[in-house]
Amino acid sequence: MKKYAFCPQEILFSSTTRCNLKCAHCDIKKYPGVLSIMAAKRFISACANKGIKRVGFTGGEPFLETPFLLTMTKEAIRQGMSFSRIMTNASWFRAKKDLMTVLTRLFSAGYDGSFCISVDAFHRQRLDKVAVFINTATAIWKRPDVVSLVCVMG
């Protein structure tokens, strides 16, 4: 029998457990700390050296740690990696101007991946904000497929 070694193709960073929503079903333990950018850089370098080619971001809400997203996007590009997705609730921003600023900075940093938005009865985020996020991301990346939705019917 042939043995197969575990060989991941992608890593997902969860830089924070903080979130702007308080979903009843969420089992993520909330800790005040944030993943160190230096530790994450060392880890992404080690992953790249082992042949891992894709990076994604999750959380908590990853956009609550925008400096981490921007820095790690640039580092992933430096390491020759591509992107899979950012898992988001798409309602973390206060105003459309804030959203535009953050997404434009992420685009300028080289993020070429997608956004996966969890939208369902459990999250209860404002759907008007989700729509603004989708329209803004689509306009900035000039791609109709930059956003996907994950929905659980309850």
Side-chain angles (χ1 to χ4, degrees):
M1 174 178 242
K2 188 174 184 178
K3 287 190 175 189
Y4 293 95
F6 177 64
C7 185
Q9 302 297 305
E10 173 182 13
I11 56 172
L12 292 172
F13 279 104
S14 180
S15 62
T16 183
T17 59
R18 291 186 313 122
C19 185
N20 57 302
L21 300 179
K22 306 225 181 314
C23 304
H25 74 286
C26 184
D27 64 352
I28 295 176
K29 302 284 187 238
K30 305 296 188 255
Y31 298 105
V34 174
L35 180 60
S36 154
I37 287 177
M38 290 310 296
K41 280 184 170 184
R42 286 190 302 272
F43 183 71
I44 205 170
S45 177
C47 289
N49 289 337
K50 293 292 183 181
I52 296 173
K53 298 287 185 201
R54 292 175 56 88
V55 177
F57 302 95
T58 187
E61 173 52 57
F63 281 103
L64 296 181
E65 290 301 327
T66 301
F68 183 91
L69 278 177
L70 296 172
T71 300
M72 295 313 297
T73 292
K74 292 173 186 173
E75 183 63 19
I77 291 167
R78 195 178 78 71
Q79 295 288 342
M81 299 172 110
S82 63
F83 302 96
S84 60
R85 67 197 164 281
I86 296 176
M87 294 292 300
T88 181
N89 61 46
S91 64
W92 49 268
F93 57 96
R94 287 198 171 99
K96 183 177 179 181
K97 180 180 144 194
D98 300 328
L99 174 65
M100 285 285 296
T101 298
V102 170
L103 291 185
T104 300
R105 289 178 67 204
L106 188 61
F107 178 82
S108 296
Y111 183 73
D112 65 352
S114 297
F115 302 96
C116 185
I117 303 172
S118 295
V119 180
D120 52 45
F122 304 110
H123 288 88
R124 296 186 180 142
Q125 70 262 58
R126 290 180 36 199
L127 296 182
D128 60 323
K129 288 185 91 171
V130 172
V132 169
F133 183 98
I134 292 168
N135 291 332
T136 303
T138 301
I140 291 171
W141 270 265
K142 295 180 177 54
R143 286 179 34 211
D145 65 341
V146 74
V147 174
S148 61
L149 300 176
V150 175
C151 180
V152 176
M153 299 304 288

